[in-house]
Amino acid sequence: MARLTIDNLRKAFAGTVAVDDFSLDVADGELVCLLGPSGSGKSTVLRMIGGFEQPSSGAIRIDGQDVTRLSPERRPTGMVFQSHALWSHMNVFNNIAFGLKLRRLSRAEIRDKVEHALELVGLAGYGTRQTFQLSGGQQQRVALARSLVLEPKILLLDEPFASLDQHLRERLREEVRDIQQRLGITTLFVTHGQDEALAMADRIVVLRNGQCEQADAPDVVYRNPQTQFVAGFIGQMNFISASVEGGRFLHPDFMLPVNVPDGPAVLAVRPEALDLASAQADQGAIVLRSTDFGSHIMVDLQLRDGTRLKAMTAPDQRWQKRASVHLNVGQFALYRDNHLLTIGQPVGGSEQAPEVEPALSV
Amino acid sequence: MGRGLKGLLLIAIPVFLVGWLIIYPIFAAILSTLFFDGPEGLRFSTASYQFFISDPYSRANLALTLWTTGMCAVLLLIVGLPIALYLRFSTNRFADLVQSLAIFPMFVPSIILSYALIRTIGPNGTVDILLNAVGLPKIKSPYLTPWGPVIGLVWDHLPLTVLMLTAGLGSISNSAIEAARDVGAGPLRVFWHIILPRMGNSILVTVSFTILGIFSAFTLPYVLGPASPEMMGPFMLRTFNALYDPLNAKTQAVISFAFCLFFGIFYVWSIARNQKGQSR
Ligand SMILES: Nc1ncnc2c1ncn2[C@@H]1O[C@H](COP(=O)(O)OP(=O)(O)OP(=O)(O)O)[C@@H](O)[C@H]1O
Ligand SMILES: [Mg+2]
């Protein structure tokens, strides 16, 4: 029913380009998370879709209809703001009913719809409360109900739970996901919390400096990050800089056969893809610290060139501080100038642990 | 104990000054218009008030003052609100210019303002000269009519009005307004349903301040206003200075004071009521 198409969207403010050549297709009923560091242009994208910001160029279409130049009140979008968006001179009922009143619905109809919306967000019976009598989480639920009651084609959420505590945030995001699935409403969700994105999204769009770095399903973004930035932004990642020569990634502490052209490169390995093996003193990496998390142990390591790494090991393995260890690299990715060169297991067998050779001094 | 004493000392001087320079003269003035030394001791009489009420000229002056005050308050809101809205919501650099222009009258002494107004909209002023140059008839000058002081007072009070209204608008968050647009309210409806209801207090404060200021205005009505009827300010001065009639001047002052007090009490009452409504 509701499909959102964004073509080459661009927004330049006086000094900066906030969004640059951003394109995205959101399918009906899909929940897409816009993820990125502060200032990456997430809110600007959302505000352009909602009509609160005019794009410098590009087009926004909803179900094929071009809405790029429409004012917010004429768009079939509903937005939930980060905070302070309830009207404090109206009670909860009137906050939700306002949009319906503007549409000249009958009183009975308005009452039914508002009550239904309140039920949907778990606030049945709260209609007569004043907005200041609500907790932060309840206020955001009212804001959500206020948008949902108008049955928008596209729901836009700009960090709606950012001002709430971790616990409440987790609960609310599950509720939102639930409601979204039940109503099948096409949704764009802005966040800079990666776990929020990983937990909720059908698809994650990673933004950086106003440009799309990658748009994929959460597991793809996690396992197959297309750029070094995405690799570092989502989940924990170790980066090791060195150079590739003659089909080998050469680092003073270890080497790895790779099938890419020569040149500088950055190796990216998740902590869970690093295996440790004891080494003779003065060889390999040095253990700085190991932290027991119960289900696993996180080992902080330092390579001889100063690079810090994290490795996740089984809870039965104990590593002494200052012990020397060899690194066994599992799944890895190799980047050059932020772009992916190759991704995969070390060449030469996927079952057995890859062989790690001592450094070659060239 | 020592701190309590220090606290009392801190407010002692202002309290003393208020008592000595404001409260005492007020009561002295009120009493001196009601009690008189007669041959058989102190005598109570409301004669001067009866005179004021029965005198058509005094009544006309009071009516003119009320009319001017009301007209100014309405005009100030009509002129000030759009400026304040513009200052609150515009994002371009032009807004700074508008802001400084709106604040500028605050730094112009009213006497200079009066003469400037006479030279522009007075008889054969700049406007007349310009009209004449293009062959149009002269304007009907507001100088020496009731509209003269109204124009001057509105100009004079505009900065304060704009400042107070802008402060009131500042309490309305951008998201609250954007949320209203999002659910389908156009600019007019946003103003009517979202902005105005939240502006109640600051409009009240603004109106009260202008009413209190304008009711007892002197310079602008004196220079720009008609000779008869005249506003209470010039009227009092003339009664006292030219007619050597301190009793009636005091009576006029007490009556003006009563009106201002009424507005003042109304203001305090509505603020208190609003605060009660908003507190949890
Ligand atoms: N109204 C504006 N005027 C000028 N620059 C702006 C404006 N709004 C945003 N920007 C700039 O555009 C860039 C993107 O801002 P945006 O608010 O979209 O970031 P964001 O990804 O939402 O960040 P955050 O996670 O902190 O909310 C920033 O560099 C910001 O300074
Ligand atoms: Mg933002």
Side-chain angles (χ1 to χ4, degrees):
Chain A
M1 298 164 284
R3 184 187 166 80
L4 174 70
T5 316
I6 300 170
D7 286 329
N8 308 99
L9 206 58
R10 187 186 142 86
K11 174 72 187 179
F13 289 109
T16 50
V17 178
V19 175
D20 200 3
D21 201 21
F22 180 81
S23 297
L24 181 69
D25 243 314
V26 184
D28 179 36
E30 196 179 15
L31 192 156
V32 171
C33 268
L34 296 182
L35 186 61
S38 194
S40 55
K42 309 179 294 286
S43 298
T44 309
V45 168
L46 212 67
R47 291 172 56 77
M48 283 193 281
I49 300 170
F52 302 107
E53 217 75 76
Q54 273 298 315
S56 307
S57 65
I60 300 164
R61 275 187 284 275
I62 296 172
D63 282 342
Q65 187 209 353
D66 191 337
V67 299
T68 319
R69 303 284 151 198
L70 285 188
S71 57
E73 61 266 28
R74 293 164 183 280
R75 294 192 189 204
T77 55
M79 182 133 165
V80 178
F81 296 83
Q82 183 169 337
S83 57
H84 307 302
L86 292 186
W87 305 307
S88 57
H89 60 286
M90 302 181 188
N91 64 14
V92 169
F93 181 94
N94 285 328
N95 261 280
I96 300 174
F98 183 62
L100 298 170
K101 285 181 186 160
L102 291 178
R103 284 164 179 69
R104 307 204 175 288
L105 267 62
S106 77
R107 265 176 185 226
E109 226 175 329
I110 290 178
R111 209 183 45 237
D112 286 352
K113 279 181 185 258
V114 172
E115 269 162 20
H116 183 236
L118 277 171
E119 251 167 58
L120 196 64
V121 298
L123 287 181
Y126 277 67
T128 54
R129 292 267 189 118
Q130 292 298 318
T131 54
F132 57 76
Q133 294 171 320
L134 299 176
S135 71
Q138 289 168 336
Q139 290 187 12
Q140 289 308 78
R141 285 170 209 238
V142 172
L144 183 64
R146 182 173 68 184
S147 289
L148 288 176
V149 81
L150 300 173
E151 295 162 22
K153 287 186 170 178
I154 314 279
L155 183 63
L156 307 169
L157 303 122
D158 190 357
E159 305 196 38
F161 313 135
S163 57
L164 308 178
D165 66 61
Q166 177 71 21
H167 220 65
L168 196 56
R169 198 155 61 213
E170 273 169 26
R171 213 173 81 206
L172 275 177
R173 80 176 175 223
E174 259 152 47
E175 281 178 29
V176 165
R177 179 64 173 152
D178 224 50
I179 293 171
Q180 188 264 340
Q181 301 244 290
R182 244 189 300 159
L183 303 180
I185 186 169
T186 311
T187 304
L188 254 82
F189 193 105
V190 163
T191 174
H192 54 228
Q194 37 153 321
D195 24 323
E196 207 150 83
L198 289 170
M200 289 181 79
D202 292 318
R203 202 143 54 98
I204 295 179
V205 175
V206 183
L207 276 170
R208 180 203 193 187
N209 297 334
Q211 286 177 317
C212 175
E213 289 269 314
Q214 185 168 4
D216 272 312
D219 58 318
V220 178
V221 175
Y222 188 81
R223 300 222 160 72
N224 272 338
Q226 289 302 302
T227 66
Q228 186 184 336
F229 174 79
V230 175
F233 194 71
I234 299 199
Q236 285 194 319
M237 184 66 92
N238 297 306
F239 289 114
I240 304 165
S241 305
S243 58
V244 174
E245 279 165 37
R248 296 206 272 203
F249 179 80
L250 291 179
H251 186 271
D253 286 337
F254 67 97
M255 62 140 280
L256 204 64
V258 290
N259 197 10
V260 299
D262 289 2
V266 176
L267 182 76
V269 192
R270 298 253 179 232
E272 61 263 33
L274 265 186
D275 246 355
L276 306 181
S278 299
Q280 293 166 359
D282 302 332
Q283 279 203 341
I286 294 165
V287 174
L288 293 180
R289 196 160 58 110
S290 70
T291 316
D292 196 339
F293 284 97
S295 57
H296 62 270
I297 290 178
M298 197 57 103
V299 186
D300 288 5
L301 305 162
Q302 184 163 27
L303 298 183
R304 266 181 288 170
D305 64 354
T307 310
R308 298 266 179 119
L309 304 176
K310 278 179 188 297
M312 200 191 270
T313 64
D316 50 353
Q317 267 181 309
R318 297 259 160 209
W319 297 101
Q320 291 301 319
K321 207 168 161 181
R322 308 219 55 81
S324 293
V325 290
H326 277 309
L327 303 176
N328 288 347
V329 176
Q331 164 102 19
F332 70 91
L334 210 58
Y335 298 94
R336 182 174 290 162
D337 300 332
N338 193 34
H339 291 294
L340 185 67
L341 287 174
T342 181
I343 202 159
Q345 305 282 332
V347 192
S350 51
E351 293 107 8
Q352 77 216 53
E355 215 173 281
V356 175
E357 300 169 25
L360 301 176
S361 43
V362 181
Chain B
M1 159 86 207
R3 282 182 62 180
L5 199 68
K6 247 185 242 166
L8 280 182
L9 271 178
L10 279 176
I11 60 160
I13 293 178
V15 166
F16 171 72
L17 284 178
V18 166
W20 180 40
L21 295 176
I22 298 176
I23 311 276
Y24 168 72
I26 290 174
F27 279 99
I30 294 175
L31 291 179
S32 69
T33 55
L34 289 172
F35 296 95
F36 304 92
D37 276 333
E40 62 278 11
L42 217 54
R43 190 171 49 85
F44 177 78
S45 158
T46 55
S48 65
Y49 291 93
Q50 275 163 9
F51 171 75
F52 187 96
I53 293 164
S54 64
D55 178 31
Y57 183 62
S58 304
R59 282 205 315 260
N61 289 346
L62 182 62
L64 177 72
T65 308
L66 285 171
W67 177 85
T68 307
T69 309
M71 188 54 79
C72 284
V74 170
L75 286 179
L76 275 169
L77 279 185
I78 293 177
V79 178
L81 209 49
I83 298 178
L85 284 170
Y86 175 80
L87 290 180
R88 166 71 179 77
F89 294 111
S90 99
T91 46
N92 56 26
R93 274 166 295 161
F94 193 60
D96 294 341
L97 185 70
V98 173
Q99 168 124 36
S100 22
L101 273 181
I103 303 306
F104 178 66
M106 205 138 93
F107 304 102
V108 180
S110 16
I111 198 78
I112 293 182
L113 162 63
S114 309
Y115 283 110
L117 281 179
I118 294 175
R119 297 301 289 270
T120 45
I121 53 177
N124 300 326
T126 317
V127 175
D128 274 354
I129 292 171
L130 288 178
L131 285 176
N132 196 35
V134 292
L136 290 170
K138 291 180 180 180
I139 52 162
K140 204 162 151 277
S141 173
Y143 178 50
L144 300 184
T145 74
W147 288 102
V150 168
I151 294 172
L153 287 166
V154 165
W155 202 79
D156 204 27
H157 281 78
L158 197 58
L160 205 60
T161 309
V162 169
L163 281 181
M164 287 192 286
L165 290 177
T166 316
L169 281 170
S171 69
I172 305 174
S173 75
N174 274 339
S175 347
I177 285 161
E178 286 178 346
R181 303 209 57 188
D182 196 47
V183 300
L188 266 182
R189 281 175 155 161
V190 169
F191 177 71
W192 187 252
H193 292 289
I194 307 296
I195 296 179
L196 259 194
R198 304 257 297 259
M199 286 284 288
N201 253 350
S202 50
I203 288 180
L204 197 73
V205 174
T206 314
V207 168
S208 310
F209 271 65
T210 51
I211 283 179
L212 295 182
I214 290 172
F215 202 91
S216 50
F218 176 76
T219 313
L220 288 163
Y222 183 72
V223 180
L224 297 175
S228 157
E230 58 198 332
M231 278 181 71
M232 291 308 279
F235 182 37
M236 279 181 254
L237 183 80
R238 214 170 42 77
T239 312
F240 185 81
N241 248 1
L243 306 181
Y244 306 112
D245 187 353
L247 174 63
N248 275 321
K250 271 191 279 184
T251 308
Q252 293 154 13
V254 170
I255 288 172
S256 304
F257 171 69
F259 273 93
C260 289
L261 190 66
F262 172 76
F263 289 124
I265 288 172
F266 171 72
Y267 161 71
V268 171
W269 171 75
S270 0
I271 295 284
R273 195 193 48 168
N274 277 344
Q275 273 175 356
K276 215 159 66 191
Q278 276 166 9
S279 63
R280 14 197 108 185

